[in-house]
Amino acid sequence: MIRLLVAALIAGCAARPVEAQERYVEVVVEGGERLAGRVLEMGLAHVTIDLGGEVVRVDAAELRSCSFVSEGARGLSGVAAPPRARPRRADARGAPNAWDAHGLLAQRIAALGRAYPWLVPAAPAQWLSLGVLLLIGAGLLVHLSVQLAGADRPQLGRSVGLGLFYLLTGLAQVALVPPHTFSLGAIVALNGALSLFLLCRLFGVSRGQALVAQSVELGLATLIYASAELVSALLRSIGLAA
């Protein structure tokens, strides 16, 4: 809902019949910081602003409001936002800095934290516990799937290894794959084919059995996702989550 609202705000700003070099906009980002300057680029995904020498790119996920202002209002800044909510700096061409801390992985982890705040570790050391828990869960999920598929040698060590591979490749894809329809479709197809190949090679199952194991894995993953959504909905209903 928030993303749809932000997209509507950006679309409303972009629809104004003013020449790009004459447009000055004021935006409020997550955390309350106000930024105003000349618009360099505007779309449904982000808006790039010249703040009088400094180029800032504000992503739709960070944007809270967007409105046109007079030229004299550019360069305005308000209350400083938290580091996680501060917009990414861009180079002179408007492209985001590849070494910026607010990269694609950081943005998606932050979005995951906003969607499931009850899962976010309270201390840095707890990330290790969460990682171990995910590894154990992924290993058990694979082990159960190959057992149900009728594998002759469902070794737990191989199941944990395949679960670790799933986690690492998933993390890499979250960090690197752009949100484009073609890229996402290609990744889904590649993941499915690679999963079938590894299930066949590691556990000596046929392609049909590998398809059964893969279906079990997808079904259990969907059940886990639905459970997380249910917990979040219950917490929101009693006012314990945003």
Side-chain angles (χ1 to χ4, degrees):
M1 180 63 68
I2 293 178
R3 289 191 174 182
L4 290 176
L5 177 59
V6 171
L9 287 171
I10 297 179
C13 290
R16 297 286 291 272
V18 185
E19 292 299 325
Q21 65 270 22
E22 298 178 353
R23 290 188 297 182
Y24 294 88
V25 69
E26 178 181 332
V27 300
V28 179
V29 300
E30 183 178 295
E33 184 180 14
R34 295 177 180 272
L35 302 171
R38 185 167 63 90
V39 177
L40 299 179
E41 182 182 1
M42 179 174 285
L44 293 179
H46 63 270
V47 56
T48 305
I49 308 171
D50 180 3
L51 302 179
E54 181 182 14
V55 177
V56 174
R57 170 171 165 164
V58 183
D59 291 327
E62 300 170 346
L63 191 61
R64 290 296 167 262
S65 69
C66 172
S67 60
F68 283 97
V69 296
S70 62
E71 180 177 354
R74 61 176 173 169
L76 175 65
S77 62
V79 180
R84 188 175 67 178
R86 190 173 293 277
R88 293 184 296 166
R89 273 19 181 198
D91 58 23
R93 295 171 297 176
N97 187 345
W99 295 101
D100 198 319
H102 292 274
L104 193 57
L105 177 61
Q107 290 184 25
R108 289 175 174 174
I109 290 179
L112 188 64
R114 290 191 296 269
Y116 307 106
W118 51 276
L119 278 177
V120 178
Q126 293 178 351
W127 282 103
L128 179 60
S129 301
L130 181 61
V132 172
L133 181 62
L134 288 174
L135 176 59
I136 294 174
L140 291 177
L141 187 149
V142 173
H143 194 64
L144 177 61
S145 70
V146 293
Q147 280 188 324
L148 293 177
D152 295 330
R153 53 176 191 275
Q155 300 179 15
L156 183 59
R158 294 187 178 185
S159 299
V160 173
L162 184 55
L164 177 61
F165 175 79
Y166 285 163
L167 292 178
L168 293 179
T169 54
L171 183 63
Q173 291 166 14
V174 167
L176 300 175
V177 177
H180 298 151
T181 302
F182 174 78
S183 300
L184 295 177
I187 286 297
V188 169
L190 179 62
N191 286 343
L194 186 58
S195 173
L196 289 175
F197 172 77
L198 292 175
L199 286 169
C200 292
R201 292 299 300 269
L202 291 176
F203 302 101
V205 296
S206 65
R207 292 182 180 178
Q209 290 175 312
L211 281 173
V212 171
Q214 191 178 71
S215 300
V216 171
E217 292 171 3
L218 291 175
L220 291 175
T222 302
L223 180 61
I224 293 172
Y225 170 75
S227 300
E229 286 290 307
L230 177 61
V231 171
S232 295
L234 290 174
L235 291 176
R236 285 194 295 267
S237 67
I238 60 178
L240 294 181

